[in-house]
Amino acid sequence: DISHASQRLFFDVAEHTRMPLVASHSNAFAVTPHRRNLTDEQIRILADKGGVMGMNFYPMFLNPDMNRDEASAAMIARHVRHIADVGGVDVVGIGTDFDGFEGKNEIMSSDRMPLLAACLGAVFVGVGTGISVRAGGAICGDDALAMCIAHVTRMKIQYASDLHLEM
């Protein structure tokens, strides 16, 4: 997991690994310029390596005004949209970090996730990028889970191959 990695460590890991990279709770620096958020270059590298990044719901990583400790589902959707535009919808997942932040967010628990699904649908409607409304909503559902399972399975197979083990 490279969510807490410095930029230098991120690029070192990306250079020296063949495995997909995971940033379990990171957002887009271009939307909110917090040092923990990933740059467009980092997002493209994640996508190129078959990696995934989970949206972090911490207000300081979402709100363009990083001095405000409040965030909304619409802010999360803006990050998702930007990341999907840069790296593709397959790189986006949900990381929440519910257990690791303070502040006010419209989504503070999983029972509020339908708000995010509604915002994602609104952000992807009528956009000529080839991203369907269903794909935007799928980020919150079974497709994201299937993507994570596929990544873990691929990592296990690659690890076994690297060690010349039988699976």
Side-chain angles (χ1 to χ4, degrees):
D1 187 349
I2 54 172
S3 283
H4 290 268
S6 67
Q7 281 200 11
R8 181 177 175 180
L9 179 58
F10 176 97
F11 290 113
D12 284 348
V13 170
E15 179 183 345
H16 295 289
T17 187
R18 291 177 291 164
M19 305 294 280
L21 301 175
V22 175
S24 64
H25 52 292
S26 297
N27 298 334
F29 185 86
V31 178
T32 303
H34 190 283
R35 64 181 174 82
R36 279 273 313 279
N37 289 341
L38 300 183
T39 65
D40 288 356
E41 180 182 11
Q42 290 171 304
I43 294 167
R44 280 190 284 278
I45 289 170
L46 268 178
D48 290 347
K49 290 190 160 287
V52 64
M53 62 188 290
M55 296 298 89
N56 188 328
F57 292 8
Y58 182 44
M60 284 186 63
F61 299 164
L62 288 168
N63 195 326
D65 180 354
M66 293 181 299
N67 295 315
R68 301 200 52 193
D69 70 344
E70 51 192 45
S72 66
M75 289 176 187
I76 299 167
R78 277 195 292 275
H79 280 267
V80 168
R81 179 57 207 234
H82 179 81
I83 292 162
D85 286 345
V86 171
V89 73
D90 289 339
V91 80
V92 186
I94 302 297
T96 74
D97 206 18
F98 281 144
D99 66 338
F101 73 83
E102 295 176 2
K104 300 173 198 127
N105 192 326
E106 191 173 26
I107 302 175
M108 292 294 285
S109 62
S110 60
D111 65 324
R112 306 282 291 168
M113 292 300 279
L115 291 172
L116 179 57
C119 284
L120 288 172
V123 188
F124 287 106
V125 167
V127 178
T129 63
I131 300 170
S132 69
V133 173
R134 195 209 66 73
I139 291 165
C140 293
D142 293 339
D143 288 356
L145 178 59
M147 180 177 59
C148 290
I149 291 169
H151 284 299
V152 169
T153 301
R154 227 175 34 224
M155 286 194 259
K156 286 181 179 178
I157 291 169
Q158 182 62 51
Y159 180 73
S161 173
D162 287 350
L163 295 177
H164 307 292
L165 301 175
E166 290 184 34
M167 287 288 292

